[in-house]
Amino acid sequence: MEHPGEPDAAEDGPVLALERLGQDMLARVGGKAANLGELARAGLPVPAGFCLTTRAYLDATASPELADVHRALAATAPDDLAGLAALAAKARALVLDAAVPAGIDAAVRAAYLALGADGPVAVRSSATAEDLPFASFAGQQDTFLNVVGADAVLAAVRRCWASLWTDRAVTYRAVQGIEPSAVSLAVVVQRMVDAAVAGVLFTANPVTGRRHEAVIDASPGLGEAVVSGAVNPDHFVIDGATGRILERRLGDKGMLIRPLPGGGTERVAQPSAGLAPSLDDAQLAALELLGRRAEVRFGSPQDLEWAIGQDGAVWLTQSRPITTLYPMQERPPSGPAPRVYLCFSLAQGLTRPLTPMGLAGIRLIASSVARAAHFPVPAPRDGPAPYAEAGQRIYFDLTPVVRSKAGRAIVPRVFDVMEARSAAVLRNLFADPRFSVTIRSPWPLLRHVVPVAARARVPETLIRGLIRPEKALRRADRVGEQLRAALAVPAGATAAQRLDQVEQILGQRVFAVVPAILPLPALGFALLALAGKLAGNPGNGALQEVLRGLPNNVTTEMDLDLWSLATAIRNDPASAAVFQEAASAEIARRYRAADLPGAVQSGLSDFLGRYGHRAVAEIDVGMPRWSDDPTHILGVLANYLRMDDPAIAPDRQFSKAAREAEAQVARLVAAAGQRSRLRGALVRAALRRTRMFAGLRELPKYHLVEALSAVRQQLAAVGAELAAAGAIDAADDIFFVDLTEAHRGLGGDALQGVVAQRREAYAAELGRRHIPRVLLSDGTEPEAVQTNAVPTNAAQARATRSGADGRGPAGADGGAGQLSGTPASAGTVTARARVILDPQGAHLEPGEILVAPSTDPGWTPLFLTAGGLVMEMGGPNSHGAVVAREYGIPAVVGVPDATTRVATGDNLTLDGAAGTVTPAE
């Protein structure tokens, strides 16, 4: 075995001392061993031991049969659990049957004896895809405790190797997209700590996100009792800055795991253990300090396992990054007080990260908004001062709003109807003395809003909407025409000129559309509220009924046009046969080759000619448009063609909703008319304008997306030129650089390294499911703090982390009892649930209840066949809620964790008026 004083050479040796290991050796020793080596190098207390490298695993298990299993696993879909399990079992059998080469056998025996003749050791798996910054893989491979004797150590090594192929590990890697042949396993062998007490330590609070809090779970005996969740441990929260113990909650600790003489462990009941704490204050302080030292060594918050021996010595036995802490915003705040950041991505119905070029585009748009409001913007490409990015998502600094009397009065009310859960979080922050009101006058707000309103002629728009509503509609149409004219780029433009045009569109043209149109739908909703008061306050449900089947909603028109195309395909036998015989990807290929029957070819061409600029996650210029790849739309058409009940056809449902809305208008007019004829006339006029203007709420974003699509086309042309020049490998790599880097690429800089790094980071963020609505600059998630959702032991904490990452199957947490959210569209439906996290390629049977994290217009074609809608995000006037009402679909929004608490196939009863989702018999 190597020793600390020996050179690092023994490159071909199968055994390395822990002290020689580090994170630069991940491929040789795996994540667990590499991290233990870093701890040892830093002088932290780590039990002595050695590592059997991945080369030993590869030498012992190399066979054509296992290579065949690797290839079969790579070809198996992540959701084919039965297929993955069968292949995993075959791989385990092959590994267990493999003979250990003589050289490896001898090296392990010698290294074991060097630790202390026949002493007890822990034998731990250390996979190359484990304990990584982007995925901790906690508990995926096996550990064997209190192993005594060289023969027993070698047997445990073989079992560790086989655990690389457990069902859970294979499924986890499949979901992560890690190639089966790319992983291998090292094995760590360490002296056992005769633990008096053991447990886990988080150097940051994994639930609330607070970086300054350490969380310790502890119980007598070996740490396996805590890690496995076999006991309710003692739970401590320590303020790292002051050393103060913020929380001390004693568990029952009703069982301990202890080593047996001769090897192995046993579980022993200890009914009185809960009476006294496992750790005293000095031990807590010592553990917290060790945790901070480990955090400094790794440069990120750590999840550590520890043990305190019978002699009082403290040992660290494992360290891994806390992968699910949400990243801090990339623009650090100034001053000691924390800042409040709101997630703009979620407000747009977007849970996925944005591409680097998508973020660059939003920064320019945000800068144009700030300049229009007379805020200083020294570097438009960096975005205005309130703009921030965290986790490749968009956040805005709302601290001035939270500390403003006017902001507190206005902003939560806006979120009440757009994203009710964010409104609740903000209101709770108002009680925090760190965010007390310091801006009492409305003037600071008005001096920024008034110039925008004046320049966009908002008062004139509102007056025109009241007096001449038809003319106001025609003017709104002209805004779109003027924008489209400004998007044109000369055919012979150079790549540099195209980039300049992109910056001009994003930095000058796009935002002007919003204040030119948005006052009209705002007027429509204001008149709806006024009509309600004049009609005697009939209740919010009665007023919401007026908003069903709205005209002038471009998203509704898009969905109904797509339904019309489906109807034309159904009525043409040759076209219908295409969808019965071929998958969507094949139909898309034939469309591009102009090889489809006329009804499909021309109909799809016409649809994409009008709506092809749209996409899922369409505010990200890096996302392909439907015109780039119509596969998604073809899949939606296939869904439509399965709907065979004429009574629930979407066009009929929409017409019915419009008739019911007009009937409701008549009832409200009559109710007001009973008070006075003037009231009745005013209500009629107000509600007529409400129905004319409310649907326009979709139009500003529609035009924004038109502009982003034009920008994408120009960037694609620049990308093609950069790829031809060798600056990037492929044209679409341009969406993984920003505008400054694109200019440098045109100047001759190679960008491949930047692209590779950005693609890896983007792929990692795609797996994140939990996105904080509100985030403080110190990493705190206020919603988590307010609900006091603290796991009771380490196993629950790690389960919470896996769920937050979204790497387990939908419904893994189970769905017991009633779920509650915000009523969004009245009606009741009992049907089968379909959990969909990404609409691309989604299959939704007619009548199923769609359960989604959030929705943007790219989702809405699915609404036409849905029987109901449940969303984790949103409020009664968020995008999904509005469209659901227009189609007459019962909907509940703002349902926490709906996509994990409901599983596809669950039977649910959804009550859109009560805001409840209940399991049905």
Side-chain angles (χ1 to χ4, degrees):
M1 184 177 75
E2 290 186 308
H3 295 284
E6 294 177 353
D8 214 11
E11 292 292 334
D12 298 325
V15 168
L16 300 172
L18 286 184
E19 296 87 348
R20 308 304 296 174
L21 310 184
Q23 290 186 299
D24 58 340
M25 302 172 67
L26 178 67
R28 293 181 65 196
V29 301
K32 186 181 282 93
N35 291 350
L36 284 169
E38 289 290 343
L39 293 175
R41 284 181 175 184
L44 289 161
V46 175
F50 63 88
C51 175
L52 187 62
T53 67
T54 56
R55 171 52 55 190
Y57 165 82
L58 295 172
D59 288 347
T61 62
S63 70
E65 293 82 6
L66 190 57
D68 289 341
V69 173
H70 289 170
R71 285 189 287 270
L73 282 169
T76 303
D79 58 355
D80 183 2
L81 301 183
L84 292 173
L87 290 167
K90 186 174 181 180
R92 289 196 301 275
L94 288 169
V95 172
L96 286 171
D97 289 345
V100 177
I104 295 173
D105 183 293
V108 170
R109 291 179 185 275
Y112 171 65
L113 290 174
L115 285 179
D118 286 341
V121 294
V123 182
R124 302 170 180 269
S125 302
S126 180
T128 53
E130 179 182 45
D131 293 351
L132 307 178
F134 61 89
S136 74
F137 283 66
Q140 294 299 316
Q141 278 80 46
D142 288 343
T143 288
F144 301 95
L145 302 176
N146 198 41
V147 180
V148 179
D151 289 342
V153 169
L154 283 162
V157 165
R158 294 163 65 92
R159 291 164 68 191
C160 283
W161 287 344
S163 75
L164 186 63
W165 304 103
T166 61
D167 293 357
R168 66 182 182 273
V170 167
T171 302
Y172 201 89
R173 292 195 296 267
V175 172
Q176 291 292 320
I178 296 174
E179 284 289 325
S181 58
V183 295
S184 57
L185 194 92
V187 179
V188 175
V189 179
Q190 288 178 281
R191 287 177 184 158
M192 274 289 293
V193 177
D194 185 10
V197 60
V200 298
L201 159 64
F202 296 97
T203 65
N205 195 313
V207 176
T208 66
R210 288 174 168 165
R211 267 48 171 194
H212 65 279
E213 291 181 356
V215 179
I216 298 174
D217 287 354
S219 190
L222 299 179
E224 179 66 15
V226 177
V227 174
S228 67
V231 296
N232 291 322
D234 294 339
H235 180 81
F236 307 92
V237 180
I238 301 100
D239 186 326
T242 65
R244 188 164 61 94
I245 299 173
L246 304 175
E247 184 177 349
R248 191 194 309 264
R249 188 173 68 245
L250 301 187
D252 56 43
K253 306 183 293 294
M255 183 270 293
L256 66 79
I257 299 177
R258 66 186 183 190
L260 286 169
T265 61
E266 66 174 350
R267 298 188 175 207
V268 180
Q270 46 171 12
S272 62
L275 299 179
S278 306
L279 298 170
D280 60 31
D281 289 4
Q283 290 171 319
L284 289 170
L287 284 169
E288 194 278 335
L289 178 59
L290 286 176
R292 295 294 163 197
R293 289 177 61 191
E295 182 176 276
V296 169
R297 178 69 180 192
F298 290 104
S300 65
Q302 295 292 296
D303 164 5
L304 300 109
E305 295 179 17
W306 54 269
I308 299 178
Q310 300 292 342
D311 58 358
V314 182
W315 300 93
L316 299 180
T317 58
Q318 190 163 307
S319 186
R320 60 170 68 90
I322 306 176
T323 58
T324 56
L325 284 174
Y326 197 77
M328 305 280 276
Q329 71 282 355
E330 294 181 10
R331 183 172 294 182
S334 58
R339 310 289 293 181
V340 180
Y341 291 89
L342 178 81
C343 186
F344 180 78
S345 290
L346 288 183
Q348 289 295 309
L350 187 60
T351 56
R352 65 185 293 144
L354 275 74
T355 60
M357 188 62 81
L359 290 168
I362 297 296
R363 287 197 293 271
L364 277 178
I365 295 173
S367 293
S368 74
V369 175
R371 284 200 306 267
H374 292 187
F375 285 102
V377 185
R381 288 181 184 174
D382 295 337
Y387 179 92
E389 294 168 11
Q392 300 169 45
R393 294 165 179 89
I394 308 162
Y395 282 80
F396 279 99
D397 187 349
L398 276 198
T399 311
V401 170
V402 172
R403 308 201 74 163
S404 160
K405 186 175 180 180
R408 289 188 174 200
I410 296 170
V411 172
R413 293 183 181 180
V414 173
F415 276 96
D416 281 336
V417 296
M418 299 304 298
E419 220 295 292
R421 290 171 64 188
S422 294
V425 175
L426 287 173
R427 286 192 173 98
N428 281 324
L429 283 177
F430 296 165
D432 189 327
R434 296 176 299 173
F435 305 115
S436 59
V437 172
T438 58
I439 306 170
R440 301 190 178 279
S441 168
W443 173 241
L445 172 66
L446 292 174
R447 69 189 179 93
H448 293 297
V449 172
V450 169
V452 177
R455 184 174 181 181
R457 300 161 68 180
V458 170
E460 178 184 335
T461 300
L462 294 173
I463 294 170
R464 185 183 294 110
L466 286 170
I467 298 174
R468 303 187 67 182
E470 289 83 1
K471 186 174 182 180
L473 284 176
R474 290 195 296 271
R475 186 172 183 273
D477 288 339
R478 286 199 298 273
V479 170
E481 294 169 1
Q482 292 165 359
L483 175 65
R484 282 187 285 273
L487 299 179
V489 177
T494 66
Q497 289 171 333
R498 291 180 187 275
L499 284 179
D500 290 341
Q501 175 73 355
V502 161
E503 297 201 48
Q504 184 183 57
I505 292 171
L506 296 173
Q508 299 178 27
R509 300 287 186 182
V510 173
F511 173 65
V513 171
V514 177
I517 296 175
L518 199 58
L520 290 178
L523 176 63
F525 285 106
L527 291 174
L528 177 66
L530 174 64
K533 292 183 178 180
L534 293 173
N537 296 314
N540 190 57
L543 294 178
Q544 294 290 343
E545 192 77 13
V546 173
L547 300 176
R548 297 185 64 189
L550 286 173
N552 304 319
N553 185 321
V554 68
T555 300
T556 304
E557 293 169 358
M558 174 188 75
D559 294 341
L560 291 174
D561 282 353
L562 190 60
W563 172 255
S564 296
L565 174 57
T567 302
I569 291 170
R570 180 183 287 111
N571 293 333
D572 180 62
S575 297
V578 170
F579 285 84
Q580 295 170 358
E581 297 167 0
S584 298
E586 172 61 15
I587 301 174
R589 185 197 65 76
R590 291 183 60 185
Y591 169 74
R592 287 188 286 267
D595 186 33
L596 290 171
V600 184
Q601 189 73 39
S602 62
L604 185 59
S605 178
D606 290 344
F607 178 85
L608 294 177
R610 183 173 180 186
Y611 302 111
H613 61 279
R614 308 218 74 162
V616 175
E618 59 192 4
I619 68 167
D620 182 355
V621 74
M623 291 297 290
R625 309 289 113 174
W626 291 341
S627 56
D628 297 328
D629 182 2
T631 303
H632 170 60
I633 287 301
L634 291 166
V636 173
L637 285 170
N639 282 342
Y640 288 0
L641 292 172
R642 287 195 293 272
M643 181 177 283
D644 54 10
D645 183 355
I648 60 172
D651 52 351
R652 293 192 183 187
Q653 291 293 317
F654 183 79
S655 297
K656 178 185 176 185
R659 290 194 301 271
E660 291 173 349
E662 293 294 347
Q664 182 68 1
V665 168
R667 285 191 290 271
L668 293 171
V669 169
Q674 289 178 352
R675 298 188 174 195
S676 75
R677 184 173 299 176
L678 177 60
R679 277 180 180 255
L682 289 174
V683 169
R684 180 181 293 107
L687 294 182
R688 175 172 176 262
R689 285 159 179 77
T690 292
R691 288 192 53 77
M692 288 179 69
F693 296 148
L696 294 178
R697 71 179 296 279
E698 297 287 316
L699 194 56
K701 185 174 183 180
Y702 180 86
H703 290 318
L704 166 67
V705 174
E706 279 189 301
L708 291 177
S709 181
V711 163
R712 179 180 171 83
Q713 290 178 0
Q714 299 308 318
L715 289 171
V718 175
E721 186 163 326
L722 287 173
I728 55 179
D729 292 333
D732 65 352
D733 283 348
I734 193 170
F735 300 111
F736 288 87
V737 300
D738 61 25
L739 289 162
T740 300
E741 291 159 346
H743 278 289
R744 290 209 306 263
L746 291 177
D749 284 7
L751 303 174
Q752 284 90 346
V754 172
V755 169
Q757 183 181 22
R758 300 265 178 80
R759 282 191 178 276
E760 182 179 357
Y762 179 78
E765 276 300 322
L766 280 173
R768 189 184 298 278
R769 286 275 308 285
H770 172 64
I771 316 298
R773 291 162 178 76
V774 178
L775 184 67
L776 302 190
S777 56
D778 64 0
T780 301
E781 297 183 28
E783 187 173 26
V785 175
Q786 291 160 11
T787 56
N788 196 30
V790 180
T792 58
N793 58 50
Q796 289 179 340
R798 284 172 175 149
T800 300
R801 296 187 314 162
S802 295
D805 272 357
R807 296 182 176 114
D813 292 342
Q818 178 176 284
L819 307 181
S820 297
T822 302
S825 180
T828 301
V829 61
T830 297
R832 184 177 185 269
R834 175 78 63 171
V835 178
I836 296 178
L837 305 179
D838 185 338
Q840 299 277 20
H843 178 95
L844 183 71
E845 289 292 335
E848 289 183 325
I849 295 174
L850 170 61
V851 183
S854 186
T855 61
D856 68 1
W859 285 75
T860 58
L862 293 173
F863 286 23
L864 288 184
T865 55
L869 172 68
V870 177
M871 294 197 318
E872 293 180 332
M873 319 297 296
N877 277 340
S878 59
H879 169 80
V882 169
V883 176
R885 275 197 304 273
E886 293 192 20
Y887 293 157
I889 302 169
V892 181
V893 299
V895 181
D897 305 318
T899 60
T900 54
R901 298 177 67 185
V902 173
T904 293
D906 287 351
N907 286 318
L908 304 177
T909 295
L910 185 159
D911 188 331
T916 59
V917 182
T918 309
E921 294 297 331

